[in-house]
Amino acid sequence: MKFRVAGLSDVGRCRSLNQDRYLVDPTSGLYAVADGMGGHAAGEVASRMAIEALAQSMRREEGSSWDDPAEAGRCLEQALLEGNRKICESTEAHSEWRGMGTTIVAAVAVGNRLVIGHVGDSRAYLLRNGDLTQLTSDHSLVNEQVKMGLITSEEAQRHPHRNIVTRALGNQPRVAVDLLEETVQAGDLILLCSDGLNSMLDHAEIREALHSHRNVPQTACRALVDRANARGGEDNITVVVLSPDGANS
Ligand code: CA
């Protein structure tokens, strides 16, 4: 299955640096968003290293697309672990980068299936028949508390510690990657985003922006970024929107 796809990254209205990074590689069927963390521009280094390791490990030549979701999942996991290893090694060699890390969410197209891997709080969503579903489950302090029933998801959205992630690439030599698979169909939209989007817009607002612009991924990206900036743009905002071909209705 072919996808129409667009990506957009914006510094937002409060930060001077954009530490987010995204990848759109239709030849390899590979799409990703990474959100770097760390002072002295180290976050930028971490997100770039994770994306580069991913792109390199998952590269496919034209006409040799993925055909086995299980194999793609194994490769995706290894590619993310490779990024983790590279960031950890760089941190050892450069003391000024200590503490840097990055979240990442990546999707690989395998026929009409998407294999999604993630670490941290960058998200994947599915818009189908006008309904928006969050596919990934954040590795964040507030989401742990939501899952334990200590706070509601509405409280998590406004929580002062909502930015604290419990997993990231580059912080520990060992990290667990969450993998999931989704069958996609004409009319669906898949959104990958950094938390600069979903910390500014709630679920209904993301749904509405995607649904209103569902025919043109590029316009959908622009609408999401503009709305997050209109709400304050407190963080870098990055979005990738995928639309299975024939999804014009
Ligand atoms: Ca962020």
Side-chain angles (χ1 to χ4, degrees):
M1 183 175 260
K2 288 241 178 271
F3 292 87
R4 291 179 300 139
V5 59
L8 187 61
S9 187
D10 190 90
V11 68
R13 294 176 61 195
C14 300
R15 303 270 170 98
S16 57
L17 289 176
N18 189 348
Q19 302 193 315
D20 287 359
R21 203 167 185 93
Y22 72 90
L23 173 70
V24 167
D25 178 357
T27 304
S28 304
L30 181 63
Y31 310 93
V33 168
D35 175 352
M37 299 160 274
H40 304 291
E44 266 178 285
V45 175
S47 58
R48 189 185 72 232
M49 289 180 83
I51 290 285
E52 284 176 357
L54 174 70
Q56 204 172 356
S57 306
M58 300 292 288
R59 183 163 295 137
R60 282 292 174 275
E61 301 301 325
E62 190 76 54
S64 67
S65 52
W66 299 97
D67 54 13
D68 177 6
E71 188 207 351
R74 281 192 297 274
C75 288
L76 180 56
E77 182 176 29
Q78 288 308 312
L80 298 180
L81 294 176
E82 176 66 7
N84 184 59
R85 194 181 62 75
K86 286 191 166 163
I87 298 166
C88 286
E89 275 179 12
S90 303
T91 308
E92 301 240 314
H94 301 267
S95 58
E96 72 275 21
W97 289 346
R98 196 162 295 149
M100 76 174 175
T102 187
T103 73
I104 193 159
V105 58
V108 190
V110 187
N112 68 341
R113 296 186 72 74
L114 275 184
V115 180
I116 295 169
H118 86 110
V119 174
D121 65 355
S122 293
R123 293 180 174 177
Y125 289 91
L126 170 68
L127 181 79
R128 176 173 291 164
N129 301 326
D131 292 326
L132 185 70
T133 307
Q134 185 183 330
L135 299 175
T136 51
S137 177
D138 295 349
H139 305 136
S140 68
L141 194 64
V142 290
N143 192 36
E144 300 290 332
Q145 294 183 350
V146 169
K147 288 198 282 193
M148 286 189 285
L150 299 175
I151 59 172
T152 66
S153 49
E154 289 73 29
E155 286 166 337
Q157 173 86 13
R158 297 185 299 273
H159 200 282
H161 296 148
R162 64 181 181 270
N163 293 332
I164 297 176
V165 294
T166 49
R167 280 189 225 174
L169 298 185
N171 291 355
Q172 301 279 341
R174 295 170 70 92
V175 66
V177 174
D178 280 5
L179 289 173
L180 60 104
E181 265 182 60
E182 188 68 43
T183 302
V184 290
Q185 56 198 45
D188 288 349
L189 280 190
I190 295 90
L191 166 69
L192 309 179
C193 67
S194 65
D195 71 332
L197 181 78
N198 54 268
S199 59
M200 292 292 104
L201 301 182
D202 67 22
H203 194 87
E205 291 167 324
I206 295 173
R207 190 208 75 83
E208 206 280 320
L210 271 178
H211 189 64
S212 303
H213 300 279
R214 62 191 176 282
N215 293 333
V216 187
Q218 213 161 2
T219 320
C221 287
R222 174 46 67 190
L224 288 164
V225 167
D226 286 352
R227 290 182 194 198
N229 273 327
R231 281 301 174 86
E234 290 173 14
D235 195 358
N236 307 145
I237 308 148
T238 302
V239 293
V240 169
V241 171
L242 296 157
S243 163
D245 239 354
N248 289 313
S249 56

